[in-house]
Amino acid sequence: MDLSSQLCSFRLFFLIVAIAIKLEDGGTIIFKQERSGENDTPFVIYKFRSMTERVTSRPTGEYTWENGVPDTFVFKDTGEQDTRVTQVGSFIRKYSIDELPQFVNVLVGNMSLIGPRPEIVPITSCYSEKQKQRLMVKPGITGWAQINGRSDINNGEKIRLDLEYIEKQTALLDIVIFF
């Protein structure tokens, strides 16, 4: 299969996902949210929308930690079904299809393929000095913390893994994470 055919297949796949999202509830296809990037510079991340449009994110006022985000904090509880997630959303999350629009973020330069996952600004605004170190590099579509627990690990473990990645970052480690 030549490059032209592959690109055509990729666009067709995107179109099918977009139609499925639109048909389910008529809402927008792409979810946009401000995240903290390299050096804590905010940027807009793109994802396929997987939740109802009524409520697509948590209220920003609930994060008021003064001494950093607690190690025990878990942003997304994967233990029970979130009623805000649509049926199509559940499928695209399961296979990480919702993350594909982030390649646009990579192309414009505010994300890389590999690196710490970008966090929402209301959480990074509560970071301690140590936690802020994970913002020293460009965030990635996937990273060391994702392949070592994804959303099932708490904040302390995520920060530890992200700082370990930053300290040991090599092309070989990025290849291991990618595959």
Side-chain angles (χ1 to χ4, degrees), residues 31 33 51-52 55-60 75 84 120:
F31 170 72
Q33 186 180 54
M51 300 176 88
T52 62
V55 182
T56 54
S57 64
R58 296 178 183 207
T60 58
F75 182 75
R84 301 171 299 170
I120 62 172

Side-chain angles (χ1 to χ4, degrees), residues 49-178:
R49 184 175 56 85
S50 61
M51 300 176 88
T52 62
E53 286 192 305
R54 293 186 309 273
V55 182
T56 54
S57 64
R58 296 178 183 207
T60 58
E62 73 180 83
Y63 307 113
T64 56
W65 305 293
E66 293 181 19
N67 299 313
V69 180
D71 285 349
T72 57
F73 175 72
V74 177
F75 182 75
K76 182 171 33 172
D77 181 7
T78 57
E80 59 182 70
Q81 181 66 23
D82 188 338
T83 58
R84 301 171 299 170
V85 178
T86 65
Q87 288 181 339
V88 171
S90 180
F91 178 82
I92 65 176
R93 280 184 172 194
K94 180 178 180 179
Y95 297 102
S96 298
I97 296 166
D98 61 322
E99 310 283 350
L100 291 176
Q102 290 171 39
F103 282 101
V104 171
N105 292 110
V106 173
L107 290 173
V108 297
N110 43 33
M111 285 181 71
S112 62
L113 291 176
I114 312 296
R117 286 292 297 154
E119 188 65 84
I120 62 172
V121 174
I123 290 178
T124 59
S125 68
C126 298
Y127 271 5
S128 68
E129 289 305 310
K130 181 180 179 186
Q131 292 168 338
K132 286 180 184 178
Q133 292 175 18
R134 77 183 292 272
L135 303 173
M136 293 171 28
V137 298
K138 200 173 281 194
I141 293 176
T142 190
W144 192 234
Q146 281 63 46
I147 67 167
N148 285 291
R150 201 168 173 151
S151 299
D152 297 325
I153 58 176
N154 64 32
N155 184 67
E157 184 66 5
K158 178 180 75 174
I159 296 290
R160 185 189 71 72
L161 289 165
D162 285 340
L163 295 180
E164 182 179 306
Y165 167 78
I166 291 167
E167 181 182 313
K168 298 177 180 180
Q169 186 178 6
T170 63
L172 181 60
L173 180 57
D174 282 356
I175 291 169
V176 167
I177 292 168
F178 183 80

